[in-house]
Amino acid sequence: MEADKSLVSGSMALLVLKLLEDGDKYGYQMTSELRQRSEDVFHLKAGTLYPLLHSLEEKGLVTAYEREAAAGKPRRYYHLTKAGEAALREKETAWHTYADAVGRVLGEVPAVPGPESVRGYLDAVEAQIRWKRARTVAARELETHLEDQQEEFLAEGHPPEEAERLAVEDMGDPVAVGADLDRLHRPRPQWGMLGLTLALLLVGGWLRYALTRAGAPWDEDLDPLRCALSVVTGAAVLVGAYFLDVSRLLRWAKWVYIGAVMAGVLSLHLSPNVNNASYFTRYVVLFYPAVYALWLYACRGKGWRGLLAAVAGGIPLTVVCMCAPFIQGMIQLMVIGCFLLLLAIQMDWFTVPRRQGLAAVGGLAAVMAGAVLWMLLVAGYNAARIQILLHPEIDPQGAGYQAVMARRILGASRLMGKGGDLSIQPQTVWGRELLPEMMLPEWNHDFLPTTMVYKLGWLPYLLLLAVLAVLLLWMLRRCACQQSQSGKLLALAVVLTLAVQSAFAAALNLGFVLFSAQLPLVTGNLHSMVDCALIGLALSAFRSESILRDAVVPVPRPPQTQTA
C-alpha cells in the first residue's frame, strides 16, 4: 500500500540522505531501493526526487558527478558529504522524537493515484524552465531516469508503448516538476564582483591618462582616446565573457587547448619584438593557466595515462613562454599549473591512488622548482640579475638603474599629495623638458604604481591595492563555495593568475626589479583588456554554477569471462 503523500513529503530529505549513507547512487537506483526497502510503501516519483536532490546539492549536503556505468551509459551519481552526514544525524534524531510522540498519542497503530511519450514529457518540463542553458541539463538527467524506468517495465513484460506510458506516469506532473527545476536552475548573478571590476577598470584608465599625459608627445599609447577606448573595450570584453557559456568551453576543452598552443606559436612568428621579447605572446600566455585547467578537465578519468597526458600538456605551454621569452609568465604557469594538478588529483579526477599521484606530481614539482632556482641562481646572467635585485646600488647606472630610481622616487613620496624634490637633473627630448619622474624607464607602464605613489601619495595607492585584494579574496571565497569541480578549477586558475601578477607588480614597484610585471586592471591598455577577459571567465563559471556538470568519468569494466 502506497503511503499518503502528505505524511511522506516532510521526511523525503531524510530518506534520500539515508539511502546515500550506504554509498553513492543514481536517481533511479534510489527510487527502486526506497520502494524495495519500504516494501512498496514509498513510491518516490522522479519528478519529486530530482528537485529534492538538486536542493540538497545546493545546500552542500550532497555532491554529484557523472560516471560511465558497466553498460556504457553515463549516469549521474550523488554522494553524501560530511555536512550531509551531520544533517542526517540531526534529522534522524528529530524524526525519532517526532515518531515517539505520535506513537504515544495514537498508541501502537500499525502501518496501514499528461503526456504519454518521453519526448512529450520532456518538452512539457522544458517549457517551464526559463533559462535556456538549464533546459538541456535538466532534460538529459530526466531522460536517463525515464529510460531506466522504461527498461524495468519492459523487463516486467509490458509492451514498449505501455512501458513508455507507465514510465512517464511514474514521473509525476511535468508542469510541477518543471517549475521546481526552474526555481533551482537559475543564473546566479555576480553583480557585486562585476561592478567592482568595472570600477577598478575605470580607475585604472583614469590613472593611465591623468598621471602620464605629460608623456603623450613621446608615447602614442598615452593618448587619451586610446585610454578611453581601452576602458570601453575592456568593459565590453568583461561583459561578453561574463555571459559566455562556460559549459561549451568544458565540452571542447581539448580543442581550446590546441587553439591556445597554436595562438602562442603564431604570435611568436607574427608579433613584433619589444625589448627582445615577443610583444603579443606575453598577452596570450596570460590565458595559459586557465587553458591548462581546461586541459586537466579533458584528461580526467583516464587513470595514469590521463595523469601523464596532463603533465605532458604543460610542456608546449611552457615552451611558448620560454621562446617569447616571458619569465614571469613561465613561472606563473609552472606554479599555478602544479597547484591545479595537485588539486585535480586530490579531487580524484584521474582515478589513480591519491597518495601515489600526489607523490609523483610533488616530486615533479620539486624537480621543476630546482630547475628554476638553478636557472635564476647559477646560470651566469640570471645569477647576476638576482644580485642586482637585492643590491641595485652595485650598478646604479646600468642593470640596477630602474631599481635605484624607483626607490629614490618612493623615498621622496609622501602619505598624501605629490612627493618632494628628486634632485635629478632634468633632460630635454625633442625640445621638451622631461619631468623628474619620467627619468624612470617604464614610468608610464610597469612603474605606473610608482608614479601614482609619487604624484598622489602612498595612501591612494594602498587603497587601490586593498580594493584589488578585496576583489581577489571575494573571488577566491566564491571558488571555495563552487559546487562544480570543473568550474572551481577554472575560476581558481583565473584568481591565482591575477594574484601572482599582483604580487610580482607590487614587488617590482617597491624596487625589486627582476622582470616585467603589470598590476591587473591598472597597468597597460591591452593588459587591462586581457584581465577583464579572465575575470569575466571566472564570473561566468560562478554565474552558471547550477548547470555546470562535470564530464563522465569512465570506470574500468571488469573483464568478461567466457562460458562454455
Side-chain angles (χ1 to χ4, degrees), residues 132-133 136-137 140 243-257 294 297 486 490 537 540-541 544 547-549:
K132 186 176 180 180
R133 295 182 192 173
T136 304
V137 175
R140 188 185 304 124
F243 287 105
L244 180 71
D245 188 355
V246 177
S247 62
R248 294 194 178 185
L249 289 181
L250 296 172
R251 194 176 306 125
W252 299 99
K254 186 182 298 184
W255 294 105
V256 173
Y257 169 84
L294 292 173
Y297 179 80
S486 52
L490 181 61
L537 181 64
S540 178
S544 306
I547 63 168
L548 283 183
R549 293 291 183 261

Side-chain angles (χ1 to χ4, degrees), residues 109-188:
V109 180
V112 243
E116 296 186 354
S117 68
V118 170
R119 185 66 262 168
Y121 184 89
L122 295 177
D123 289 341
V125 171
E126 290 183 38
Q128 308 303 315
I129 302 175
R130 285 171 286 182
W131 191 14
K132 186 176 180 180
R133 295 182 192 173
R135 295 173 188 168
T136 304
V137 175
R140 188 185 304 124
E141 189 169 4
L142 292 177
E143 186 175 15
T144 301
H145 188 97
L146 282 165
E147 289 174 355
D148 290 337
Q149 284 188 309
Q150 190 173 354
E151 288 175 3
E152 183 171 294
F153 285 124
L154 287 171
E156 292 176 358
H158 295 279
E161 296 81 5
E162 185 179 357
E164 183 176 10
R165 180 182 61 78
L166 292 173
V168 169
E169 286 181 358
D170 204 42
M171 289 290 288
D173 182 13
V175 175
V177 173
D180 287 339
L181 292 174
D182 176 67
R183 176 178 53 83
L184 292 168
H185 293 305
R186 291 185 181 179
R188 298 180 179 175

Side-chain angles (χ1 to χ4, degrees), residues 191-203 238 471 475 521 531-532 535-536 539:
W191 302 124
M193 284 185 277
L194 194 65
L196 188 55
T197 303
L198 287 172
L200 283 170
L201 178 65
L202 288 171
V203 170
L238 174 67
L471 175 63
M475 294 176 67
L521 298 173
D531 292 331
C532 286
I535 294 174
L539 297 187

Side-chain angles (χ1 to χ4, degrees), residues 63-388:
T63 57
Y65 62 92
E66 289 188 358
R67 192 173 71 189
E68 187 176 305
K73 179 190 296 184
R75 300 187 187 277
R76 185 166 178 78
Y77 285 78
Y78 292 87
H79 170 77
L80 187 64
T81 65
K82 295 293 184 183
E85 292 176 1
L88 175 59
R89 300 284 84 81
E90 292 178 4
K91 289 180 179 295
E92 281 183 324
T93 302
W95 170 256
H96 289 309
T97 302
Y98 173 78
D100 290 343
V102 171
R104 286 193 296 272
V105 173
L106 300 180
E108 292 298 327
V109 180
V112 243
E116 296 186 354
S117 68
V118 170
R119 185 66 262 168
Y121 184 89
L122 295 177
D123 289 341
V125 171
E126 290 183 38
Q128 308 303 315
I129 302 175
R130 285 171 286 182
W131 191 14
K132 186 176 180 180
R133 295 182 192 173
R135 295 173 188 168
T136 304
V137 175
R140 188 185 304 124
E141 189 169 4
L142 292 177
E143 186 175 15
T144 301
H145 188 97
L146 282 165
E147 289 174 355
D148 290 337
Q149 284 188 309
Q150 190 173 354
E151 288 175 3
E152 183 171 294
F153 285 124
L154 287 171
E156 292 176 358
H158 295 279
E161 296 81 5
E162 185 179 357
E164 183 176 10
R165 180 182 61 78
L166 292 173
V168 169
E169 286 181 358
D170 204 42
M171 289 290 288
D173 182 13
V175 175
V177 173
D180 287 339
L181 292 174
D182 176 67
R183 176 178 53 83
L184 292 168
H185 293 305
R186 291 185 181 179
R188 298 180 179 175
Q190 306 298 319
W191 302 124
M193 284 185 277
L194 194 65
L196 188 55
T197 303
L198 287 172
L200 283 170
L201 178 65
L202 288 171
V203 170
W206 178 82
L207 289 173
R208 289 195 297 277
Y209 168 69
L211 299 182
T212 62
R213 57 185 174 182
W218 297 278
D219 191 341
E220 61 180 8
D221 285 341
L222 302 181
D223 181 77
L225 182 59
R226 284 176 174 264
C227 292
L229 184 61
S230 71
V231 171
V232 173
T233 306
V237 169
L238 174 67
V239 174
Y242 174 72
F243 287 105
L244 180 71
D245 188 355
V246 177
S247 62
R248 294 194 178 185
L249 289 181
L250 296 172
R251 194 176 306 125
W252 299 99
K254 186 182 298 184
W255 294 105
V256 173
Y257 169 84
I258 294 173
V261 173
M262 293 179 61
V265 173
L266 287 175
S267 68
L268 288 173
H269 290 85
L270 302 179
S271 174
N273 283 340
V274 178
N275 296 327
N276 297 319
S278 178
Y279 180 72
F280 291 115
T281 305
R282 63 187 299 173
Y283 297 108
V284 175
V285 166
L286 292 176
F287 289 100
Y288 275 5
V291 169
Y292 187 64
L294 292 173
W295 175 250
L296 294 179
Y297 179 80
C299 296
R300 65 195 298 270
K302 300 177 182 177
W304 287 105
R305 181 170 57 89
L307 180 57
L308 182 61
V311 173
I315 296 176
L317 303 179
T318 305
V319 170
V320 172
C321 296
M322 296 176 66
C323 293
F326 186 28
I327 303 301
Q328 178 208 335
M330 184 185 72
I331 295 176
Q332 181 173 280
L333 174 63
M334 293 172 68
V335 171
I336 298 175
C338 285
F339 180 81
L340 295 178
L341 184 56
L342 290 171
L343 185 59
I345 295 174
Q346 181 64 31
M347 294 189 300
D348 200 26
W349 272 24
F350 305 106
T351 63
V352 300
R354 190 171 285 124
R355 288 187 178 180
Q356 296 178 22
L358 292 174
V361 174
L364 177 63
V367 171
M368 293 170 57
V372 172
L373 288 175
W374 178 86
M375 181 180 67
L376 294 177
L377 300 177
V378 179
Y381 175 67
N382 289 314
R385 294 191 67 173
I386 293 292
Q387 190 175 17
I388 294 296

Side-chain angles (χ1 to χ4, degrees), residues 418-479:
K418 188 173 181 179
D421 184 22
L422 295 176
S423 301
I424 299 176
Q425 184 177 358
Q427 295 185 10
T428 301
V429 177
W430 296 352
R432 293 174 178 266
E433 186 176 290
L434 298 179
L435 297 175
E437 64 269 18
M438 294 171 64
M439 299 299 294
L440 171 62
E442 297 292 322
W443 68 282
N444 51 7
H445 291 286
D446 292 358
F447 285 96
L448 180 62
T450 300
T451 303
M452 177 184 179
V453 172
Y454 180 71
K455 289 193 171 184
L456 301 180
W458 279 99
L459 193 59
Y461 173 62
L462 295 176
L463 180 61
L464 177 65
L465 288 183
V467 174
L468 181 59
V470 167
L471 175 63
L472 295 180
L473 290 174
W474 194 352
M475 294 176 67
L476 186 62
R477 181 178 179 276
R478 193 66 185 78
C479 284

